[in-house]
């Protein structure tokens, strides 16, 4: 029986310039995940675009992050944005558009979903071979 340490490897790197070959000896990944991180990367679009370029021909990129709180009362949304800014977190209002642009540029597919309150947004980019 193999443990996760036999199957999972972790490496640290800059999401905008991550070198998969140097870190893992591979050129592409089947799955890439961004979990509440794009809102903390100043050049988040460059990071997203670079990761999309690291996908295998049938690979998927999944991103979940803070939304725009668009279905919460405005006062609560204002408090949420202020609280997050205190920690250097900036929810990315352009996430859906960025996904569509990347999918179109790479002949892929994009799906985008919002939670019912707009607290979180979910993006999936798929390469279509």
């Amino acid at each position: 029986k193999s443990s996760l340490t036999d199957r999972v490897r972790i490496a640290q790197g800059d999401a905008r310039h991550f070198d998969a070959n140097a870190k893992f000896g591979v050129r592409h990944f089947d799955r890439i995940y961004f979990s509440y991180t794009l809102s903390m990367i100043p050049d988040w679009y460059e990071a997203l675009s670079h990761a999309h370029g690291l996908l295998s021909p049938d690979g998927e990129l999944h991103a979940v992050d803070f939304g725009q709180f668009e279905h919460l009362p405005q006062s609560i949304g204002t408090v949420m944005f202020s609280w997050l800014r205190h920690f250097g977190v900036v929810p990315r209002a352009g996430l859906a558009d960025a996904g569509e642009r990347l999918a179109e540029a790479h002949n892929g597919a994009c799906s985008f979903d919002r939670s019912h309150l707009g607290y979180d947004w979910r993006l999936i980019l798929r390469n279509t071979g």
Side-chain angles (χ1 to χ4, degrees), residues 16-49:
R16 298 166 304 148
H17 310 287
F18 189 78
D19 186 340
N21 195 39
K23 298 287 186 177
F24 296 112
V26 299
R27 294 192 182 283
H28 298 99
F29 298 104
D30 294 331
R31 299 286 181 280
I32 297 175
Y33 298 93
F34 284 94
S35 180
Y36 291 93
T37 54
L38 292 174
S39 58
M40 293 182 273
I41 299 172
D43 196 349
W44 65 275
Y45 182 80
E46 186 178 354
L48 192 66
S49 178

Side-chain angles (χ1 to χ4, degrees), residues 16-105:
R16 298 166 304 148
H17 310 287
F18 189 78
D19 186 340
N21 195 39
K23 298 287 186 177
F24 296 112
V26 299
R27 294 192 182 283
H28 298 99
F29 298 104
D30 294 331
R31 299 286 181 280
I32 297 175
Y33 298 93
F34 284 94
S35 180
Y36 291 93
T37 54
L38 292 174
S39 58
M40 293 182 273
I41 299 172
D43 196 349
W44 65 275
Y45 182 80
E46 186 178 354
L48 192 66
S49 178
H50 181 69
H52 190 257
L54 294 173
L55 288 175
S56 63
D58 292 320
E60 293 183 356
L61 185 153
H62 295 251
V64 62
D65 217 313
F66 295 103
Q68 296 295 297
F69 314 112
E70 61 271 21
H71 297 293
L72 290 170
Q74 185 176 1
S75 59
I76 294 174
T78 300
V79 168
M80 289 297 297
F81 280 118
S82 178
W83 177 250
L84 291 171
R85 261 192 319 275
H86 180 72
F87 297 100
V89 177
V90 181
R92 305 305 182 185
L95 184 60
D97 291 338
E100 289 293 336
R101 283 196 315 266
L102 288 169
E104 185 176 320

